Amino acid sequence: MKNLVKIIIVLGISPFIYGQNSFTITEAIDFAIKNNTNIKNATLGIESAQQKVKETTGIGLPQVSASGQFQNFLDIPITVAPANAFNPLASPDDLVELQFGTEYNATGALSVNQLLFSGSYIVGLQTSKTFKAVSEYQKDKSIIETKELVMKAYYGVLVAKQTVSSMSEISSTSQKIYNETKLIFEEGLIEEDNVIQLSLNVLNSKNALKNAERQLQNAKNVLKLQMGMNQKETISLTSEFEQVVTSLNPEESKVDPDLYQNIDYLLLNKQLELSKLNVKYEKSQYLPTLSAFFNHQQQALRNDFNLLDGTKPWFPTTIWGLNLSVPIFSGGSKNAKVAQAQIAVKQNENSISLFNQGIAV
């Protein structure tokens, strides 16, 4: 009784331990969408693009930093000055040594920078958002391609199974005929050549069966690869052959045949948009960049190591201002970059034109 209970428990939890290994065509596709490596990478690509948008946006937000410094002058710097500057009676050639500074210095500073205008920042922000859209299209394309590959691989397994079944029947029939013919030969009713010929047929049919079984295993491995399934796991298919053939029918395909909804067409147009933005970016390098800054600093100057003594003063320095950078001459490199970007636009336009021609054929 205890053993029976153990068996029931094992059978009850085994689906959770080993996972699903029996799939209809729809279940295989759903499994692939969740586990296929290309789709996983495409999803990560979207997440990366989202972070890129945040990164680019952050460049235009205030940049705040803090810093601190401590210095201990073992030898305070010395400078010299003419002695007659302090004593009119001193010789013009005499010099007096002067020490400026304190033995212990500490500085704490806060710095804020704000970008006010940058053409490249504006275009970069537009580009990062467009790149995110490209990543989303690439995921859609990966899903579409994975669905098609899984359906074809599923179909391939079913075809291989039918081949194995046919070869198994042929091998069984060949063996049966051989056994019956051998008995007739032993009775002396037929020639030995007939038996030898049939034995060769049995051998050939067995080899063909083994080859079909290898092809079936290879087909299953391909299907597991497309689904993102562990190759060590077993897999069985439950959809009927006719159902899978119907799913492969172009009229039953889930891919929208409309040209303007075709994922490749959408990707080409987004690529064209990116190349045009690149032209704008390269042209923006001719524009000036304006930013504002604010710095506040507190400095402690001591001859004794009492930097944290609240009765001793800290000396402040506060400054704000503007930074303006105006490009004047780049040796023609900016012109060359703009020209390259414009050529890329023409190349993308040619690709779209070629795609349209291919659809029209």
Side-chain angles (χ1 to χ4, degrees):
M1 183 66 182
K2 291 182 179 180
N3 292 334
L4 179 60
V5 171
K6 290 180 180 179
I7 292 172
I8 293 173
I9 293 173
V10 170
L11 292 175
I13 65 174
S14 60
F16 301 97
I17 296 176
Y18 300 105
Q20 180 183 4
N21 63 356
S22 179
F23 297 90
T24 64
I25 182 63
T26 301
E27 289 171 342
I29 290 173
D30 291 340
F31 185 94
I33 291 174
K34 295 177 182 177
N35 297 279
N36 181 272
T37 302
N38 291 333
I39 296 177
K40 285 182 177 180
N41 285 339
T43 302
L44 291 174
I46 293 176
E47 294 178 9
S48 177
Q50 290 172 337
Q51 295 303 319
K52 187 65 177 179
V53 172
K54 292 180 180 179
E55 175 194 348
T56 307
T57 303
I59 295 174
L61 300 177
Q63 309 294 308
V64 183
S65 63
S67 62
Q69 185 182 56
F70 168 75
Q71 293 178 313
N72 176 204
F73 286 91
L74 301 178
D75 294 305
I76 297 175
I78 296 175
T79 187
V80 295
N84 58 13
F86 302 94
N87 181 6
L89 300 178
S91 170
D93 296 329
D94 291 341
L95 300 174
V96 61
E97 297 178 357
L98 301 174
Q99 279 188 319
F100 294 99
T102 54
E103 185 176 352
Y104 299 101
N105 296 342
T107 302
L110 177 70
S111 177
V112 181
N113 290 277
Q114 174 63 56
L115 184 66
L116 298 179
F117 175 79
S118 171
S120 59
Y121 168 73
I122 296 172
V123 178
L125 190 58
Q126 294 174 334
T127 301
S128 64
K129 292 179 180 178
T130 303
F131 182 73
K132 178 177 175 291
V134 171
S135 300
E136 291 170 347
Y137 284 141
Q138 287 174 336
K139 180 182 178 181
D140 292 340
K141 182 177 181 179
S142 295
I143 291 175
I144 292 171
E145 290 177 344
T146 298
K147 285 180 179 179
E148 293 178 348
L149 290 172
V150 168
M151 286 190 292
K152 291 178 180 178
Y154 199 104
Y155 174 78
V157 173
L158 294 182
V159 170
K161 284 179 65 177
Q162 286 192 346
T163 303
V164 169
S165 178
S166 298
M167 289 298 101
S168 178
E169 291 181 7
I170 292 173
S171 178
S172 177
T173 302
S174 298
Q175 184 66 52
K176 182 179 179 181
I177 294 174
Y178 169 77
N179 293 338
E180 292 175 351
T181 305
K182 186 177 180 182
L183 291 176
I184 296 174
F185 166 72
E186 291 174 352
E187 295 293 331
L189 299 177
I190 60 174
E191 298 292 333
E192 185 179 9
D193 289 345
N194 295 327
V195 178
I196 294 174
Q197 182 61 47
L198 289 174
S199 67
L200 291 176
N201 291 344
V202 170
L203 180 61
N204 290 335
S205 63
K206 288 183 178 180
N207 289 335
L209 175 60
K210 289 180 180 179
N211 184 60
E213 289 172 341
R214 285 195 296 269
Q215 294 297 326
L216 173 60
Q217 187 57 50
N218 290 338
K220 287 184 176 181
N221 290 340
V222 171
L223 176 58
K224 287 188 284 186
L225 177 65
Q226 300 299 342
M227 291 173 58
M229 189 176 181
N230 192 318
Q231 290 290 332
K232 294 181 180 179
E233 294 184 16
T234 59
I235 186 172
S236 61
L237 312 186
T238 58
S239 288
E240 298 296 331
F241 189 85
E242 293 75 13
Q243 180 183 356
V244 178
V245 172
T246 301
S247 67
L248 289 171
N249 189 336
E251 295 181 357
E252 302 292 332
S253 176
K254 296 180 181 179
V255 181
D256 194 332
D258 185 0
L259 170 64
Y260 295 100
Q261 294 300 317
N262 186 289
I263 196 67
D264 290 321
Y265 184 82
L266 294 173
L267 277 170
L268 284 172
N269 275 277
K270 280 298 176 183
Q271 188 60 47
L272 176 60
E273 186 178 338
L274 282 173
S275 61
K276 288 181 178 179
L277 284 171
N278 191 39
V279 173
K280 292 176 63 177
Y281 174 80
E282 296 299 344
K283 288 183 177 180
S284 72
Q285 301 301 303
Y286 291 103
L287 299 176
T289 300
L290 179 65
S291 62
F293 67 89
F294 171 84
N295 292 319
H296 177 73
Q297 178 177 291
Q298 293 280 350
Q299 191 171 33
L301 306 174
R302 309 278 194 270
N303 281 319
D304 297 314
F305 191 71
N306 56 359
L307 299 173
L308 301 180
D309 187 346
T311 63
K312 301 294 183 180
W314 282 71
F315 304 99
T317 301
T318 305
I319 183 175
W320 76 273
L322 299 172
N323 285 323
L324 178 64
S325 175
V326 181
I328 297 176
F329 180 68
S330 63
S333 62
K334 286 187 175 65
N335 289 336
K337 290 181 179 179
V338 170
Q340 291 177 61
Q342 291 172 333
I343 291 172
V345 170
K346 293 179 181 179
Q347 289 175 325
N348 281 282
E349 289 174 342
N350 289 339
S351 296
I352 292 176
S353 177
L354 180 61
F355 182 88
N356 289 331
Q357 293 173 14
I359 292 295
V361 173

